[in-house]
Each structure stands twice: as C-alpha cells, then as structure tokens.
Amino acid sequence: LPAVAWESGKPLSIEDVEVAPPKVHEVRIKVVAAGVCHTDWEYLYEAEKGMKFRPFPLVLGHEGAGIVESVGPEVTTFSPGDKVIPLFLPQCGECERCESAKTNHCRKNWANTQVGVLADGTSRISYQGQQVYQFLGVSAFSQYTVVPHTSLAKIRSDAPLDKVFLLGCGVSTGYGAAVNTAKVEKNSTCAVFGLGAVGLAAVMGCQVAGAKRIIGVDINPDKFAKAAVFGATECVNPKDHTMPIQEVLVKMTDGGVDYAVECVGSPSIMTAAFESTKDSCGSCVIAGWTETGVMNVKVEKILMGRTLRGTYFGGWKSVEDVPKLVNDYMKQKLKLDEFITHSLPLDQINVAFDLLRTGKSIRTVISL
C-alpha cells in the first residue's frame, strides 16, 4: 500500500498496488522506515520550477531503510533478511568513475532511474495494470519496492532502521559536504546556509572536523536551538539585518568565512554563500538541490582565489560508505536521533509534507 502521486500539486493517496518480483540483478525489499525529504515535496508541488519533469503516476520517497524480502537471478551479495538502505546514487564498483578516488558519480542505470524505471525500462510497481514510476529508482513510500543490486547498501544486523534511514539521503549529503567536499579544517570558520536536515548535518560535519566557529544561517529562528545541539556556535537570521547576509557574515568574521555550505537549493542563496567566504582562499560548497536554477557568480569574486564546488550525496561512495556511516552512528561518532522530530504512519504522509513545508519538522520518520 504505497502513497502514490497521481499528478503534480495533488496530495498523495494510499493505493493498493502490485510490486512485481525482482528481475535479474534486482532485489525486492520490505521498507521499514522512510524519511520525508524536501526533494520529494519539491517534486510534487514545484515539479516544473526547480526540477526537471519526471512522469506521473509515481511513488515518491528516496530516503529509507528496510529488509531484503527476495533476490532476483544473479544476485550474490544479498540474502533475504539482510538489513539494507536503498540508494538513489549507485555504485557498481566496475566503471571508470567507481575506480576513481575523485568522484562518487557512478552512472549505472542512471538514465533509467532518473525517469523512474529500472534497467529494462519498466518499473516494478503497477496499479490495476498501469505502470507506476519509481522516484529516483527508489520509491521508499511503499511497503515493498524493487531496486538494482548496485543501488543497495547492506548494513549491520543490529542497526535500528528507524534511525539509519537518514543515511539514505539528508544526513549523508550534509555531513559529507563538510567533511569530504569542503574538507573543513581544524580551527576554521564556517557558515552553513539552511538549517534543515542537510544543513544540520553539515553543521555536525564542521564540528567533527574541528571548526572553531560555525555560523548557522536561516530565516526561521526556531531552527537555532537545534543547530546548537549539532555544534553551531552562533546563528544569524537574514531578516534581522538590512544589509545582504553575505556582507553581515564578512563583517562578523573580519573578512569572510573559510568555508560556506549552501543547503537550501536557492540560486540567490548560493551566490550569498559564495560571497560570504574569504576573498583569497575561501571555499563554498553547494549541497542544496535544484536542477533548473542558474547561479550568478561575479568573475572578480572567483578570480581572487575563492573555490566553488558542488557535492552529490556528500561525496560518499554509496554502497561502501553508507555501512561505514552506520558503524559511526553505532559507535556514537555521528548523531542521527536528534534529526527526527516527528513519527507518523504512511497514511499520514501528507501531514508530514505540511510539517516540512511550514518548517515545523526537521525529519519525520514514516513507519511502514
């Protein structure tokens, strides 16, 4: 009984669908917990604005955790009963990109999963004979889903699925943006723009890296107390200032921050984040998601020595690194529980979207 998105701008509805058995190199999983990520909301309600079109009907959800129910032919690395996290970013382990230490952008089945189908060009989910597409090839808002075996991380059997599902998207993205992509250094000064799940994870990454000053930036002051829990040393609300936020930060830090991480997905905020860094050697990482926006960069601002970088899934090699992040959580090196502000059953998924839209939640765990 997944939550199906029939068309853009309409709430999800719970439907009785069929989830076909896995085909060659595929795994069917029973989803136990899923997270409501801003990208799911954005695709449903702002599909044509910030994202490329993907066909409807579809089952959203790309951040989840579950248990292997069955495996298709030629799958040797998974068995029924394994605890797993499905991945929108694959890792085949064989391509040029997987063999490179410079990138995590494996493109196995990429063109297909981006438009909601698996390797053979079809989805495994159907409603009364009609194909229902799988968002980013995952569809976590369903009690069962089928994913390619290269888009699945096997995790330790004692991991709590209702916590580690966060590593399927938001926390991995923000944390990795700071530690892998920005490579935040000890005693540095950092600014994180946007204090949702991705931003708070970036704050946590800055703290783990040993930054001495971590400035959280958000127009919702209700997020500030939570940011402090993750390591923010101070927070700034752009609405409290008449001058642009980048000028506020440059003034506060006597010349700009060493590292800025943008976690909103807004081109204007990306420009502000970039311009808040030190002119000679500042570094800005874009973690916020938009597919269609255009960012404005003044040539002089980059010419003087700033660096501008993007990150996808925090730079982690998905299949091999997600289990390590789960281990870090189990060893209490990584916070996860603190991100979860609400818990709701699948039939309350539209309530979870409202909590996200109104800024009342960081992460709602959907129990399936």
Side-chain angles (χ1 to χ4, degrees), residues 344-357:
L344 292 169
L346 183 63
D347 61 12
Q348 300 276 302
I349 184 85
N350 293 306
V351 176
F353 273 140
D354 285 342
L355 288 167
L356 186 72
R357 182 183 57 81

Side-chain angles (χ1 to χ4, degrees), residues 147-188:
V147 297
H149 73 132
T150 47
S151 298
L152 198 59
K154 183 156 118 181
I155 61 170
R156 55 197 277 175
S157 60
D158 58 343
L161 297 176
D162 62 348
K163 303 288 192 293
V164 298
F165 74 89
L166 286 159
L167 295 168
C169 178
V171 173
S172 296
T173 298
Y175 184 63
V179 299
N180 293 334
T181 312
K183 293 186 168 60
V184 169
E185 293 177 324
K186 204 171 174 185
N187 294 324
S188 60

